[in-house]
């Protein structure tokens, strides 16, 4: 009996709420509270965007967007309850002249409709023709690609066509945490200046849009026209299946292949990465069989019908986490005519410094099977593309010009990506890099990742130019450019033949610092960010990373790129690389160098400020 009365009361209260439409909403937005966890929002006014107020720390609300009474999309948004952290724009332009209603189901526990009505989101939901894109966040990089707003992880689906580099990325357009995975899209003519494009792919009935790849169909194998852009991605819901999409407008918009999915397996498989094999006249596809820690190889004549040919990876290399985001391509070994294949296998967790990292294998590929090279003991060595903590999901552009193998990574780590101290956007990409192969002193072939040549254009003023420094124990200190927030490129050649240890420090006015150390005995360079600034948002963030320097003569040349919240160190033309995030409360203003256990020489120390 008691229960029934309670139920009646609740009905009466929600009935009362029905009559209070629009009471707390802003102009042109009608809010109708249906119950303790259900509200209808009707757009009655004009404006390009409905700005949705987000509070990061709360649970998602489920928002079903109805257009003329029909379900158009379903999104998850952390609609603000007690405070608004930032706004995300919901683009209304595709629905002009149509009726838009949002059926919102919140998961906040509330006992009365009154309480639900007080949520900060309702009165702050506003119509607007613009939204804030002023990049006012202090950690937003100046010359790295970032999403305009929202969460970003893997770069994927990249291709080059008609002078334009297309970059897609795992994007949540409705908040800065991993959710609503879609393909965001940016394009660039120079790999530096990125233009924001409309969202390219959004979730459909098969699930979210996970990582994948694109390639040009030069021979019209799929029937969508010569040079149509073909894409394959993982549809992720309760299962992971592979979907085919195609575009006849250079990757601006995609059509779904009607008979998707084109590949289904009974276990988790994702991140299809394909290329045209011109010798065998067929498509080759690498697919991460994630939980099995292996990569599957498929072939197809037309992108629609796929045959499993082989697998690579069981018991090989780093196995500490799921295998994700593969890539496979052929390159010449520097200074020789030898050609080798490089297979990229991103891994999470299980990286050398915890969390995610990119391992690779060098070997041969006959169109169906990849066989990795072994070392002198007959073992297949694990090789890493980058020795920092913040380099993941790295894959290459298809159809790049001049036989270039240009790659870009996600500059974060799954250990703390959702906690880094940025808000309206979360995460940036690494700088673009050119992959090469070289023979190490152990006879093994390794990959180098050098900064893409386009990056030279970033250099603005030469703020320091010192020909030669004889370095002893005493620290030598130089200023970093101060008038642009310390954003710069530092270069120098280090000769440490007579030294044991060279210390390179970046420091700001409040004592926060990054310490790099070249160990001349071990031939390594370490990077210590434990005192680099804000480090306490995750116990996995304060860390020291170490790179082998792949030299035997104690000479290294370094290029260091600083961009507000990231430091990328390239050694000996990319033979070793370290990418690490840092969050200094003030920009680093000084560079100090010193040598222990003997003198060292620094030559051609130059600092360029970056525009
Ligand atoms: C790698 C990854 C991929 C997946 C995507 C989902 O970071 O886990 O395997 O496709 O992210 O966002």
């Amino acid at each position: 009996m008691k229960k029934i009365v309670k139920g009646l009361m609740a009905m009466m209260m929600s009935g009362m709420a029905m009559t209070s439409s629009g009471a707390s909403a802003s102009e042109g937005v009608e809010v109708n509270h249906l119950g303790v966890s259900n509200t209808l929002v009707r757009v009655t006014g004009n404006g390009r965007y409905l700005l949705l107020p987000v509070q990061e720390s709360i649970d998602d609300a489920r928002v079903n967007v109805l257009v003329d009474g029909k379900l158009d999309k379903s999104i998850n948004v952390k609609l603000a309850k007690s405070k608004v952290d930032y706004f995300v724009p919901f683009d209304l332009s595709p629905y002009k002249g149509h009726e838009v209603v949002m059926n919102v189901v919140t998961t906040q526990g509330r006992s009365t409709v009154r309480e639900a009505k007080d949520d900060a989101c309702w009165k702050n939901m506003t119509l607007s023709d613009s939204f804030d894109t002023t990049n006012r966040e202090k950690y937003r990089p100046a010359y790295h690609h970032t999403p305009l707003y929202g969460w970003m992880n893997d770069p994927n689906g990249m291709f080059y066509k008609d002078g334009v580099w297309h970059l897609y990325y795992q994007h949540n357009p409705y908040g800065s945490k991993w959710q609503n995975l879609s393909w965001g899209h940016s394009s660039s003519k120079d790999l530096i200046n990125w233009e924001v494009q409309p969202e390219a792919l959004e979730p459909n009935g098969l699930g979210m849009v996970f990582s994948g790849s694109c390639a040009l169909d030069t021979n019209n194998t799929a029937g969508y026209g010569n040079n149509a852009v073909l894409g394959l991605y993982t549809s992720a819901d309760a299962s992971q299946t592979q979907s085919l999409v195609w575009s006849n407008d250079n990757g601006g918009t995609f059509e779904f292949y009607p008979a998707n999915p084109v590949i289904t397996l009974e276990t988790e498989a994702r991140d299809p990465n394909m290329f045209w094999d011109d010798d065998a006249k067929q498509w080759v596809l690498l697919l991460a069989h994630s939980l099995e820690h292996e990569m599957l190889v498929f072939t197809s004549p037309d992108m629609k019908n796929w045959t499993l040919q082989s697998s690579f990876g069981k018991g090989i290399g780093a196995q500490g986490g799921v295998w994700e985001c593969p890539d496979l391509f052929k390159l010449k070994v520097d200074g020789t005519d030898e050609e080798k294949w490089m297979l990229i296998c991103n891994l999470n967790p299980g990286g050398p410094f915890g969390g995610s990292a990119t391992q690779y294998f060098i070997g041969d590929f006959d169109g169906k099977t990849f066989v990795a090279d072994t070392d002198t003991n007959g073992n297949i060595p694990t090789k890493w593309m980058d020795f920092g903590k913040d380099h993941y999901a790295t894959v290459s552009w298809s159809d790049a010009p001049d036989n270039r193998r240009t790659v870009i990574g996600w500059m974060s780590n799954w250990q703390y990506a959702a906690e880094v101290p940025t808000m309206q956007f979360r995460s940036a990409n690494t700088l673009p890099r050119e992959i090469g192969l070289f023979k190490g002193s152990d006879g093994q072939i390794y990959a180098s990742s050098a900064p893409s040549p386009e990056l030279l254009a970033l250099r603005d003023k030469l703020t320091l130019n010192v020909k030669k420094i004889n370095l002893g124990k005493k620290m030598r200190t130089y200023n970093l450019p101060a008038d642009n927030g310390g954003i710069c490129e530092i270069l120098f050649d280090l000769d440490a033949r007579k030294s044991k240890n060279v210390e390179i420090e970046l420091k700001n006015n409040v004592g926060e610092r990054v310490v790099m150390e070249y160990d001349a005995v071990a031939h390594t360079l370490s990077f210590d960010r434990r005192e680099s600034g804000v480090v306490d948002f995750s116990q996995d963030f304060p860390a020291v990373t170490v790179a082998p320097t792949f030299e035997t003569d104690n000479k290294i040349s370094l290029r260091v790129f600083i961009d507000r919240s990231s430091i990328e160190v390239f050694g000996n033309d990319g033979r070793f690389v370290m990418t690490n995030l840092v969050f200094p409360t003030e920009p680093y203003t000084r560079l100090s160098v010193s040598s222990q256990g003997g003198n060292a020489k620094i030559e051609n120390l130059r600092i360029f400020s970056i525009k």
Side-chain angles (χ1 to χ4, degrees), residues 151 153-154 156 170-171 178 181 209-212 234 240 270-271 288 290 322-325 346 348 392-393 410 414:
W151 163 273
N153 56 294
D154 315 357
N156 63 185
Q170 291 285 283
H171 188 214
W178 187 91
L181 272 292
V209 187
F210 271 19
S211 284
T234 302
Q240 299 184 345
R270 55 180 177 267
D271 312 335
S290 302
V322 289
W323 280 32
E324 303 183 313
C325 305
N346 286 282
N348 174 54
Y392 193 57
W410 176 44
W414 279 114

Side-chain angles (χ1 to χ4, degrees), residues 98-358:
H98 298 271
E99 186 81 14
V100 178
V101 171
M102 293 183 171
N103 183 13
V104 182
V105 177
T106 57
T107 44
Q108 310 299 324
R110 298 174 183 99
S111 39
T112 63
V113 178
R114 176 72 260 155
E115 217 184 297
K117 279 186 188 172
D118 287 341
D119 283 0
C121 57
W122 312 123
K123 53 181 173 293
N124 287 298
M125 223 176 248
T126 45
L127 288 167
S128 170
D129 282 330
S130 61
F131 65 96
D132 193 1
T133 55
T134 48
N135 292 5
R136 68 205 136 87
E137 286 193 73
K138 84 181 208 189
Y139 293 127
R140 168 94 73 171
Y143 59 90
H144 286 74
H145 173 261
T146 52
L148 195 54
Y149 66 95
W151 163 273
M152 175 176 83
N153 56 294
D154 315 357
N156 63 185
M158 297 108 73
F159 68 93
Y160 176 91
K161 189 166 186 254
D162 302 337
V164 180
W165 301 84
H166 291 272
L167 167 61
Y168 301 85
Y169 50 89
Q170 291 285 283
H171 188 214
N172 177 7
Y174 305 110
S176 302
K177 299 248 179 180
W178 187 91
Q179 246 318 347
N180 307 309
L181 272 292
S182 307
W183 275 23
H185 181 196
S186 299
S187 62
S188 173
K189 292 197 170 121
D190 58 8
L191 288 171
I192 300 174
N193 297 291
W194 292 99
E195 231 175 83
V196 184
Q197 303 293 346
E199 214 67 13
L201 279 170
E202 291 183 86
N204 63 7
L206 283 174
M208 291 195 280
V209 187
F210 271 19
S211 284
S213 57
C214 287
L216 302 186
D217 192 5
T218 325
N219 306 311
N220 193 17
T221 61
Y224 300 120
N226 280 92
N227 278 328
V229 180
L230 302 182
L232 274 179
Y233 74 86
T234 302
S235 292
D237 202 341
S239 314
Q240 299 184 345
T241 57
Q242 317 313 317
S243 288
L244 170 64
V245 290
W246 54 275
S247 167
N248 273 336
D249 64 356
N250 293 340
T253 55
F254 286 93
E255 302 289 330
F256 292 90
Y257 171 56
N260 275 334
V262 291
I263 299 177
T264 60
L265 295 175
E266 284 170 7
T267 46
E268 263 184 37
R270 55 180 177 267
D271 312 335
N273 198 329
M274 79 324 217
F275 63 92
W276 176 251
D277 176 353
D278 209 33
D279 297 331
K281 302 282 179 254
Q282 61 185 357
W283 292 99
V284 175
L285 168 71
L286 276 288
L287 188 64
H289 208 196
S290 302
L291 302 173
E292 311 297 321
H293 312 272
E294 63 178 2
M295 297 301 180
L296 304 177
V297 180
F298 290 80
T299 56
S300 167
D302 58 3
M303 281 274 189
K304 295 165 188 165
N305 300 290
W306 292 94
T307 309
L308 177 63
Q309 298 290 0
S310 66
S311 73
F312 170 85
K314 272 261 154 77
I316 295 172
Q319 293 273 333
V322 289
W323 280 32
E324 303 183 313
C325 305
D327 200 355
L328 177 65
F329 43 80
K330 189 164 67 176
L331 285 171
K332 264 209 175 111
V333 181
D334 279 357
T336 74
D337 277 333
E338 192 186 6
E339 287 187 323
K340 284 302 233 181
W341 288 80
M342 173 169 174
L343 173 64
I344 294 180
C345 302
N346 286 282
L347 165 89
N348 174 54
F353 312 107
S356 28
T358 307

Side-chain angles (χ1 to χ4, degrees), residues 2-18 33-38 110-114:
K2 242 185 176 174
K3 256 191 190 155
I4 294 170
V5 174
K6 249 193 170 171
L8 270 174
M9 286 285 288
M11 273 169 69
M12 278 164 66
M13 288 179 74
S14 61
M16 276 158 62
M18 287 281 284
H33 299 286
L34 305 181
V36 287
S37 58
N38 192 193
R110 298 174 183 99
S111 39
T112 63
V113 178
R114 176 72 260 155

Side-chain angles (χ1 to χ4, degrees), residues 470-476 593-596 598-600:
N470 284 315
L471 205 59
K473 250 195 198 146
K474 198 166 161 279
M475 267 202 174
R476 304 286 280 271
V593 278
S594 62
S595 167
Q596 280 79 40
N599 288 353

